[in-house]
Amino acid sequence: MNSQNSRKSSALRRRQFLQAAGVGGASLFLPSISRNSHAGPNDGPPLRLVVFFHEHGVYYDSWKMRLPNSPASDQLDFEFELGGLSQDEFSPILAPLHAHRQNMIVLDGLAYLTAMSDPYGDGHAKGWMTAMTGNYARETYDEVKSHALTPSFDQVIKQIVRAQDSSLTDLASLEYGIRPWDGTFHQMHYGLDPQGAAVKVPHVVDPAAAFSTLFPDTAGDPVAAAHTEVLARAAAQYEQLMPRLSSEDQSKLEQHRALIHDLQVRVETLESLVCTEPVLEPWDGGWEWTSEMYNYRLPAMLDLASAALSCRISRVVSFQTDVPPIEMLGGAGDYHHDYAHQSAPGAAQDKVDVVTAQGAAHAGQVALMADKLAAIPEDGGTVMDNTIILWISELATGGHTHDQVPVVMIAGQNTPFATGRYLRFGQTTPRPIPEGQAWYPEGLVGQPYNPLLVSIIQAMGGEQNFFGRKSVTGTFPGGDTVEIGLTGTMSRLYG
C-alpha cells in the first residue's frame, strides 16, 4: 500500500511537471485564452517565497546607492524611485538587478539588533540566527554558541502554506545549496523536533539528488521513459495554441518554450547521472571548488526550483549559496581571510574589487532566478508576479559587523508591497550592548530587521505579529537605556 501511494504521488508530481512544461493540455495561464488551475485547491495562483542567503556581507560603498539630492546625514530616513534610473546609476553590486528595478525594494540601513545584543557567540553564527530566526543562538559547537534557539522563518512559512493547502507534501519547502558546508557554524534552516527544540534541516547541493526528490521512481516509468519526446509533443501543442493567442501571449509562449528547452536538457543530463559516472563528485570535506562546478550547479538548481514552484510542488525555496570560486572574482587564496576580513573602509583597492565582485555575483544569482520565474506564464501574468524573493546575508561587512546589513527584495505585482523603491533607514536606534560586555562602543545604529520577517510571514498568510525576540535593550550615547521593540510589520514596505 505504501509503495502504491508513493508511486501515485510521484506520478502526480510528474504530471504537474509536464503540465508546467506545456505538455499537459490545459496548463499555460495566458490572458487571451481561458484555462482552469492545474494544481492546488485555492482560486488563483499561490504566493511563493524564494530566499537567497550569502555569507560575509558586502563592501557597503559598492552596494549603497545615493542620488545627488540624497541627504548627507546618516540619521535621516529617505527614499527614491528606481524605475527611472539607468544601470550606470545603480551601484556596482546592485547593477545586475537593474532589469528588475520596478519590482525591487532595496532596504538600506537595517540592523541585526539581536545579533548585537547576544552576549556570547561567533559573529557569523549570530548573524545567521538573527537573519533566519530573529533570535539569539542557542546550542554550542566547539564551545561557541552557534545553533538556533527557535525555527527559521522559511520553516514557519512552510507550515503556514501547508495549512492553507492540504495537497502540499513535505516538499512544500525546498532547502537548496550550491556548495556543501561542514555543518558547524554555517546553517540556514531550522525546524522543530517532537520535543519542541530547534534542529537543523539539511539542505541539498547535488542537482541529481534534488531532481530525484522532486520526481522520484523514474525507473520503469513510462512517463520518464518518454522524457525525450516531451519537447516534440510540446512543440505540436505550441503550434496549435499560437493562432489563438494575442501577440503579447505569443511572445510569452516563446519565452516559456525556451525555458522548458533549457530545463529539459538539464533534466536529461541529471537522469544520465543515475547510470553513468557522476559528473559532480561527492564533496570530500574540503573548501576547494571550481568554476566548472559552480557554473553547472547554480543554473541546474535554479531550474529545478523554478519547476517546483511553477508546478506548485513547493511554495518556499531557500538557497544557501556561498562565495563563488575565488578565481571567478579576480582573486586568489581564501576569500574569508584574505579579502572579506580585509575590506574595511579604506582597504586596498584589490581587496575592494574582489569583495565588490562577490556581491555582484550574488546579485546575478538573484537576477537569474527572477528572470526564470518571469518567463513562466501564469493566470494573466507570470510566476514572478506571485513570488517574493528575499536576498540577505549574515553580516553587513566582512569585519563581522551587524549594522547596515544589505537586504534586497524583488516582489511581484500580486504581493502586498510597494516596489520600485530604494528605502534608506536612518541610524537612530541606540546600540544594544551585550550583557557583561560594557566595552562595546556606544552609539546609534540602524533600524530593526525583525519586522521585515513579520511582513513576509503575514504576506504568506501568517497572522503572528512578531518573529523571534520581541525586544532588546539599547544604550544611548551617555548611558541611558531603553527597550527596543521588534514586533509588528515594517510599515515602509507598503508605500
Side-chain angles (χ1 to χ4, degrees), residues 278-357:
V279 173
L280 301 175
E281 295 294 335
W283 185 56
D284 62 4
W287 289 93
E288 296 291 332
W289 67 319
T290 66
S291 57
E292 290 78 13
M293 179 184 288
Y294 175 88
N295 286 328
Y296 174 72
R297 283 190 171 183
L298 175 66
M301 296 303 277
L302 296 185
D303 277 349
L304 289 168
S306 299
L309 292 170
S310 64
C311 297
R312 307 187 189 183
I313 297 170
S314 302
R315 293 268 303 276
V316 182
V317 181
S318 302
F319 288 97
Q320 190 168 320
T321 59
D322 194 26
V323 179
I326 191 67
E327 65 270 17
M328 297 182 68
L329 306 177
D334 177 69
Y335 179 85
H336 185 183
H337 296 289
D338 296 335
Y339 294 96
H341 282 327
Q342 309 298 323
S343 62
Q349 191 62 45
D350 65 318
K351 310 297 184 184
V352 173
D353 290 345
V354 170
V355 176
T356 299

Side-chain angles (χ1 to χ4, degrees), residues 100 298-299 302 363-373:
H100 298 282
L298 175 66
L302 296 185
Q365 296 171 353
V366 177
L368 184 57
M369 183 82 255
D371 288 342
K372 291 180 181 296
L373 297 181

